[in-house]
């Protein structure tokens, strides 16, 4: 993840390509993608049980995380948790189970088919503490200092304006709150030519 | 932002699991790995 670098790609085209890729992940999860997906991958990463088991396969089949941020700890009962780029909802619905009826699990995503899958799975699980918003994570539809914990998995690396994302995280997180993120890091500088290639951004 | 209690998880060779040779090659070239971080926003 590189923060603060100028964006060498057309942001609108990049968003369209990302939406296209992740719509396919949600509607055709058995397709071979350039990144690992699905229940087996979540298990391999060590996702928390029994919460993972209770998330419907319709959602977990579209899991496309890159690492396991849950290793840093669970959501506590009654907390308000925000999942940036919640996708089909694997992390969101795990968080909703952890926080329970006294808490809230808020998912943000820009891909309609992913949000629909998350909504459907939340209903199937009988969860009433889940909120979903169709929004960019650079501009969150939430009040200042209204969230106890921010989670995200494999999403911020897809956003060109990372400074805006972290400014929004800081705005909505209450003092004493925490962020718990999984994402892609690079060890070698990416050339200017490579940074212009949309296919490298979308995975 | 002055966040505290920073923790970073071990790197995960996520893209080595890709079924595409090209993705594995590009990930190796740039050293792309999955990882995690936890940080706490300071109290006022």
């Amino acid at each position: 993840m590189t923060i603060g670098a100028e964006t060498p790609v057309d942001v609108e085209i990049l968003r369209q390509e990302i939406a296209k890729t992740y719509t396919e992940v949600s509607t055709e999860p058995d397709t071979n993608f350039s990144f690992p997906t699905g229940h087996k991958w979540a298990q391999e990463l060590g996702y928390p049980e029994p919460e993972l088991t209770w998330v419907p396969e319709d959602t977990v089949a579209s899991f496309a995380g890159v690492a396991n941020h849950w290793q840093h700890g669970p959501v506590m009962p009654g907390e308000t948790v925000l999942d940036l780029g919640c996708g089909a909802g694997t992390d969101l619905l795990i968080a909703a189970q952890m926080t329970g009826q006294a808490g809230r699990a808020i998912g943000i995503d820009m891909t309609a088919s992913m949000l629909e899958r998350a909504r459907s799975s939340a209903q199937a699980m009988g969860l009433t503490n889940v909120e979903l918003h169709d929004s960019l994570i650079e501009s969150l539809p939430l009040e200042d200092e209204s969230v106890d914990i921010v989670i995200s998995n494999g999403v911020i690396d897809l956003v060109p304006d990372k400074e805006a994302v972290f400014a929004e995280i800081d705005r909505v997180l209450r003092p004493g709150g925490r962020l718990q993120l999984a994402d892609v890091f690079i060890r070698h500088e990416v050339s200017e030519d490579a940074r212009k290639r949309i296919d490298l951004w979308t995975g | 932002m002055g966040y505290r209690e920073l923790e970073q998880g071990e790197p995960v060779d996520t893209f080595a699991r890709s079924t595409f040779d090209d993705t594995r090659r590009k990930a190796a070239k740039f050293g792309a790995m999955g990882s995690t971080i936890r940080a706490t926003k300071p109290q006022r």
Side-chain angles (χ1 to χ4, degrees), chain A residues 75-76 78-82 99 102-106 146-150:
Chain A
V75 170
M76 303 309 290
E79 287 188 319
T80 297
V81 54
L82 168 64
T99 192
R104 295 164 66 202
I106 304 166
S146 58
V147 168
D148 297 301
I149 173 170
V150 176

Side-chain angles (χ1 to χ4, degrees), chain B residues 4-41:
Chain B
R4 301 176 309 183
E5 300 169 7
L6 302 178
E7 297 176 9
Q8 186 171 358
E10 290 297 314
V12 178
D13 202 355
T14 304
F15 299 101
R17 274 79 167 178
S18 175
T19 55
F20 295 103
D21 290 341
D22 188 49
T23 298
R24 294 197 299 271
R25 185 183 55 75
K26 285 185 293 192
K29 177 180 177 183
F30 297 118
M33 307 276 279
S35 191
T36 58
I37 191 168
R38 174 189 160 124
T40 301
K41 182 174 180 176

Side-chain angles (χ1 to χ4, degrees), chain A residues 35-114:
Chain A
F35 40 83
T37 59
H39 199 142
K40 189 177 169 190
W41 174 230
Q43 286 179 313
E44 190 177 335
L45 287 171
Y47 258 51
E49 295 286 4
E51 289 87 353
L52 177 63
T53 294
W54 293 112
V55 178
E57 191 57 29
D58 274 354
T59 278
V60 184
S62 301
F63 172 74
V66 299
N68 178 13
H69 62 85
W70 295 111
Q71 68 184 290
H72 297 293
V75 170
M76 303 309 290
E79 287 188 319
T80 297
V81 54
L82 168 64
D83 186 355
L84 300 179
C86 64
T90 299
D91 286 276
L92 180 72
L93 299 178
I94 288 171
Q97 294 175 71
M98 290 173 170
T99 192
Q101 288 306 306
R104 295 164 66 202
I106 304 166
I108 306 282
D109 207 278
M110 67 170 195
T111 307
S113 60
M114 284 286 198

Side-chain angles (χ1 to χ4, degrees), chain A residues 116-192:
Chain A
E116 187 46 47
R117 191 142 296 200
R119 185 173 290 110
S120 171
S121 289
Q123 287 173 352
M125 294 172 73
L127 294 169
T128 56
N129 60 346
V130 175
E131 293 178 28
L132 292 160
H133 297 274
D134 184 348
S135 172
L136 300 175
I137 63 172
E138 304 96 306
S139 179
L140 297 171
L142 300 174
E143 299 290 321
D144 295 355
E145 301 182 358
S146 58
V147 168
D148 297 301
I149 173 170
V150 176
I151 61 173
S152 184
N153 197 340
V155 174
I156 299 173
D157 66 298
L158 301 172
V159 180
D161 191 353
K162 293 171 180 49
E163 285 186 355
V165 176
F166 283 100
E168 280 293 83
I169 290 173
D170 189 55
R171 181 182 68 78
V172 302
L173 202 54
R174 68 165 174 78
R178 64 198 185 280
L179 58 86
Q180 203 163 284
L181 310 175
D183 221 304
V184 177
F185 293 77
I186 54 171
R187 293 176 167 178
H188 311 303
E189 188 68 25
V190 177
S191 69
E192 189 64 20

